[in-house]
Amino acid sequence: MNTHHLCLGILSLGEASGYEIKKAFEETFCHFQATSFGSIYPALAKLTEQGLVSFREETQEKRPTKKVFTITPAGHEHFYQTLLKSEPAEQYRSDFLFLMMFAHLLPQEHIKTLLNKQTENLEMELGILERILTECQTLTPGMRFTLEYGVTGNKALLKLMQQRSLQLLNEIDAARSPQES
Amino acid sequence: MNTHHLCLGILSLGEASGYEIKKAFEETFCHFQATSFGSIYPALAKLTEQGLVSFREETQEKRPTKKVFTITPAGHEHFYQTLLKSEPAEQYRSDFLFLMMFAHLLPQEHIKTLLNKQTENLEMELGILERILTECQTLTPGMRFTLEYGVTGNKALLKLMQQRSLQLLNEIDAARSPQES
DNA sequence: ACATACATGTAAATAGTTACATGATTTC
DNA sequence: GAAATCATGTAACTATTTACATGTATGT
C-alpha cells in the first residue's frame, strides 16, 4: 500500500484536493498511515496521467486556486482490485521500545523521561481517536472499527505503562547495584 | 533510528556476525524493528570505516568463514549519545486497518478472510513473544519490558477481534441492505 | 532432487522525507 | 510583527527492499 493507493482510497469516499488528502491523513488516519505533500502531489499527477483520477480547477475568493480531484470509473475498478489482492499486513517500528531495550545503559532520570513521554504520546493519541469517534457522525462501519482498534491498543498499553514503569526502573536498578558495590 | 544504530545496539550486547544480527531481528526484535541483509552488510562496512566497530575473520569447519564484529569504545560512546538524543517515537503502518476502512466495498466473504488472517497474525506473534519470555533466561529488564509491551498490545487487540468481528460484518451488511432493496 | 541453514556482499529499483520556492489571508 | 492556514509543486537526499551472485552442508 503506497501513497497512490492512499490517495485513491480517500478519493473513493469523495472528491478532494491534495491539501485536503493530507489533512485527512493528519486527522482520521494518522494512527495507522502517514504521508507527505512530497509524495501526494506527484502521486496525483501520476494517477491523472493514468486516467484513474481527473480534476477541475476551482478558483476561490481570498484563497489560492485549488485542484479538486475526482476518482474515475477506471480508478474505482483499479482501487477495488488493489483491495482484493492486498494482504492484511502490519508494520510497527518503535524507537521507544528500542530505547527501552538498552535502558540499562541510560541514567535513571532519562529512562523516567522517556517513559513519561511515551505515556503522554499514548494519551494524546487516545484522546484524538476518542474525540473523532464521538464527534464524527459520518463514519463508515470500517472507519469506526479502525478507531476502536486504535483505542483498544492504546488503552491496554497505557495501563501497562502505569503498572510496569516503576517495576522496570527497580529491575534496572537491581541489575546495576551488584556491579557498583 | 536506522540500520547503523540497530547494528551498534546488538553489538553493544556482545560480538556478532552480520548473519547473526539479522537473526536477532527475526527472533527477539521482530515485533518492533526489522531490517535486511542489503542494509546490514553496508552498515557494518561503514561502521568499520568509522572506527565504531572492528572485526576478525573466523574460519569454521563445514561452514563458511564469517566476520565477527565487536563494538569499539568509540562505538559504545557513539551509541550512548544516540540513545540520549533519541525521542521515543513510534510509527505504525497497517494495511489491515486501511483495508478495513474500505470494507464496505468488499464482498462479505473477503472481509471474513481478512479478519481471520489478522487474528491469526496476532495469535502467531503473541505465541512467539510468550515463548521468548518463558524460554530466554538471559534477557535484560528492558528486553523483558519490550516483550511484555508486545504481549499486552496483541492480547488486547485479539480480544477486540473476537468481540467486534461479527459486529463489523453486521454493520456493513446493514449499511448495504437499504441501497439494494 | 529440493529446500533450508549458513555466510557475505552488490546493484538496481522503489519509496519516502525534508527543504525549498511562492504567495495571499487570517489569527495572535 | 510573527505564526499559522490555505494551496501547489520540485529537487535533493536518505533509506530500504528485492533480486542477484556464489558456494557448502544438512535435512527431507
Side-chain angles (χ1 to χ4, degrees), chain B residues 158-169:
Chain B
L158 266 170
K159 206 172 147 193
L160 179 80
M161 292 296 290
Q162 278 145 18
Q163 288 173 348
R164 275 270 351 220
S165 287
L166 266 177
Q167 198 192 329
L168 173 66
L169 289 165

Side-chain angles (χ1 to χ4, degrees), chain B residues 46-54 72-75:
Chain B
K46 197 69 179 283
L47 291 169
T48 304
E49 209 182 274
Q50 296 172 326
L52 302 177
V53 305
S54 62
T72 64

